[in-house]
Amino acid sequence: MTTLLKSATIIDTSSPYHKQTKDILITDGIITKIDDSITSKKEYQIVELDNLHVSNGWFDTSVSFGEPGYEERETLQHGVQVAAKSGFTDVAINPNTQPIVDNKSAVEFLINKVKGAATNIYPIGALTQQSKGVEMSEMYDMQQSGAIAFGDYNKPVSNDNLLKIALLYAQNFNALVLSFPKNNAIAGEGVANEGKNSTLLGLKGIPALAEEIQISRDLFLLEYTGGKLHIPTISTSKSVQLIKEAKKKGLDVTCSVAVHNLFLTDDELHGFDANKKVNPPLRTEQDRRTLIKGIKDGVIDMITTDHNPIDVEHKKVEFSTAKDGTIGLESAFGVLNTVLDIETIVKCLSDNPRKRFGLNNISIKENEKASLAIFNLNESYTFSEKNILSTSKNSVFLDKKLKGKVYGIYNNNQLILNS
């Protein structure tokens, strides 16, 4: 099949066509020609859309779908369709299924279930058996079967020695270890950021210290062991500073931030809307600004949706008892496009995560594989339930004004567009 993208503005700092508007011809999944104007033929699949932009396909490093075990929240087949229509050519799947992804058979199940889809999935294996934080999982076997990193989703490793051993062991096969930044002893039964709003609302607070003391511990361990550490979804100003200092020391550490922590604060909690209950929690305006600065300064390496579908039975309940989590794939670009420039968005959604998680580098050049996110930078709208593609509807962004529309992707010789 031959596909022709007409008048597409290319966003790719590694491409000679960066910020240029070109026609792009793709044959059998390979970019065969990029020119000012390419004559179309009747057998071509033509893509001609308003304010058409393309970048390297986006890679989300923290996605939960549910299957196996929680298919009512999201199946793998439907989940990758949502990801594709949201601009993501690649997603890393968290191990928080039932059973937990802590062995090679579970990894192989995920990969085989959606083989041939337009969006690629890359399993993250659990760091510990059943994500219980007691014994290390079969990391090497999982890596051989396709796992790209190891971490217990949204569960901290409280055993210091276990994380130390994992960081040492992982170096034998160059594996990336993830450590969720939360000290449960300090966070206690908290459900919201500890501060003015939690006090006013009578909600038990999660101090910023719970995150920061865990990051400090992780960085001390990394300095001792060596190895590669990724800290997902940081949320406080002090966390940014700690990671900045660690990088200056030369430690091999990266971190991500969730989209919602760049856009929303704990001021959102006044309606006790359980969709606003996320982990880590929404923090203060000062934290939000520092996180954005951390991205611009290069301290924060990547942005994730931290997409986590939760069924209505676990969200339409009292705030304090609701499950943490928000969906985020379909709203990610519209949110980020309101707070960051497009080059930074692409760097944090594509270039940096690919490099860190060991995916192949891609570029929009002739004779390269076509792996493209396709979008419109300018369209503004209010995010509503009709914009939700996921099976679960637990979006923290409902009724928020966003800017930027995703048309879809081209990847694996497949064009997927929103209808």
Side-chain angles (χ1 to χ4, degrees):
M1 180 186 288
T2 299
T3 301
L4 178 59
L5 305 182
K6 296 292 291 182
S7 300
T9 302
I10 295 168
I11 306 296
D12 176 11
T13 55
S14 68
S15 169
Y17 306 104
H18 178 51
K19 285 194 166 180
Q20 297 179 36
T21 301
K22 300 284 185 181
D23 286 3
I24 304 172
L25 190 68
I26 305 167
T27 305
D28 296 331
I30 304 296
I31 298 171
T32 51
K33 189 174 183 182
I34 299 176
D35 210 337
D36 291 334
S37 181
I38 298 173
T39 305
S40 61
K41 298 181 180 178
K42 64 179 181 180
E43 66 268 23
Y44 288 179
Q45 184 177 35
I46 308 294
V47 179
E48 200 163 6
L49 297 163
D50 290 342
N51 194 36
L52 179 60
H53 284 66
V54 298
S55 74
N56 292 327
W58 304 335
F59 172 36
D60 192 341
T61 58
S62 179
V63 171
S64 305
F65 282 146
E67 187 180 3
Y70 304 110
E71 286 84 355
E72 72 280 4
R73 299 177 185 177
E74 191 70 273
T75 65
L76 285 161
Q77 292 282 3
H78 189 257
V80 294
Q81 281 287 319
V82 173
K85 291 180 178 181
S86 304
F88 293 90
T89 55
D90 305 270
V91 293
I93 302 292
N94 292 314
N96 56 326
T97 50
Q98 188 58 256
I100 297 285
V101 182
D102 64 356
N103 60 77
K104 69 176 187 176
S105 297
V107 169
E108 289 163 0
F109 169 82
L110 294 175
I111 293 171
N112 292 330
K113 185 77 174 183
V114 290
K115 189 171 281 185
T119 293
N120 304 308
I121 70 160
Y122 299 91
I124 295 173
L127 185 69
T128 65
Q129 292 179 27
Q130 298 178 54
S131 287
K132 289 184 175 179
V134 179
E135 295 183 71
M136 212 159 57
S137 64
E138 301 167 358
M139 293 163 61
Y140 178 73
D141 283 351
M142 285 192 283
Q143 189 193 57
Q144 295 301 107
S145 294
I148 58 165
F150 303 94
D152 295 334
Y153 178 68
N154 273 11
K155 291 183 177 181
V157 181
S158 56
N159 184 324
D160 308 333
N161 194 52
L162 183 60
L163 184 60
K164 183 198 80 174
I165 292 168
L167 284 165
L168 287 167
Y169 175 63
Q171 292 173 59
N172 293 307
F173 44 101
N174 196 32
L176 179 63
V177 172
L178 279 57
S179 179
F180 183 65
K182 185 179 183 183
N183 181 301
N184 278 337
I186 290 175
E189 297 178 356
V191 295
N193 178 58
E194 182 181 85
K196 178 184 70 175
N197 284 311
S198 65
T199 304
L200 283 171
L201 297 169
L203 296 172
K204 292 180 179 179
I206 302 173
L209 178 66
E211 176 171 308
E212 295 151 6
I213 201 167
Q214 194 81 351
I215 289 176
S216 295
R217 181 209 68 167
D218 291 351
L219 295 173
F220 271 116
L221 288 171
L222 181 65
E223 190 170 8
Y224 178 80
T225 60
K228 299 193 301 185
L229 178 67
H230 177 68
I231 301 174
T233 58
I234 68 169
S235 67
T236 78
S237 298
K238 179 72 172 174
S239 296
V240 177
Q241 185 60 35
L242 288 167
I243 291 164
K244 182 178 182 179
E245 290 166 2
K247 288 185 171 186
K248 279 184 181 175
K249 285 183 180 179
L251 299 186
D252 192 354
V253 60
T254 52
C255 65
S256 68
V257 61
V259 172
H260 42 268
N261 286 104
L262 298 173
F263 190 72
L264 303 172
T265 70
D266 59 355
D267 289 341
E268 295 287 329
L269 302 183
H270 284 266
F272 294 99
D273 180 359
N275 285 335
K276 309 291 173 64
K277 190 184 181 196
V278 289
N279 187 18
L282 300 176
R283 300 285 189 182
T284 67
E285 176 64 13
Q286 178 60 52
D287 291 317
R288 189 188 74 84
R289 290 175 184 272
T290 304
L291 291 167
I292 289 173
K293 185 174 187 300
I295 288 170
K296 292 177 178 177
D297 292 345
V299 178
I300 298 174
D301 306 271
M302 56 200 83
I303 301 168
T304 174
T305 67
D306 204 25
H307 181 86
N308 190 5
I310 304 294
D311 52 274
V312 66
E313 287 83 359
H314 290 96
K315 272 296 187 183
K316 289 281 186 181
V317 292
E318 188 180 340
F319 188 93
S320 59
T321 58
K323 281 191 176 293
D324 301 321
T326 177
I327 56 171
L329 287 167
E330 48 268 81
S331 49
F333 179 66
V335 174
L336 294 176
N337 195 39
T338 66
V339 294
L340 293 167
D341 64 273
I342 187 59
E343 286 94 341
T344 301
I345 293 170
V346 172
K347 182 175 75 172
C348 292
L349 282 185
S350 182
D351 304 342
N352 288 354
R354 283 178 182 281
K355 182 179 178 183
R356 185 54 163 174
F357 282 75
L359 274 63
N360 292 331
N361 286 331
I362 54 175
S363 186
I364 303 175
K365 299 174 184 173
E366 291 178 354
N367 302 315
E368 292 276 341
K369 181 191 170 190
S371 178
L372 306 172
I374 306 169
F375 53 93
N376 175 349
L377 277 175
N378 294 340
E379 186 166 329
S380 296
Y381 62 103
T382 299
F383 190 78
S384 68
E385 196 159 310
K386 71 179 176 63
N387 302 112
I388 293 177
L389 305 172
S390 301
T391 302
S392 295
K393 310 301 178 187
N394 57 305
S395 174
V396 73
F397 299 111
L398 285 169
D399 301 322
K400 299 300 178 187
K401 290 184 178 178
L402 309 183
K403 182 184 177 186
K405 176 181 180 179
V406 175
Y407 289 127
I409 62 168
Y410 187 100
N411 192 47
N412 294 339
N413 197 20
Q414 297 173 59
L415 176 69
I416 305 291
L417 295 178
N418 281 294
S419 51

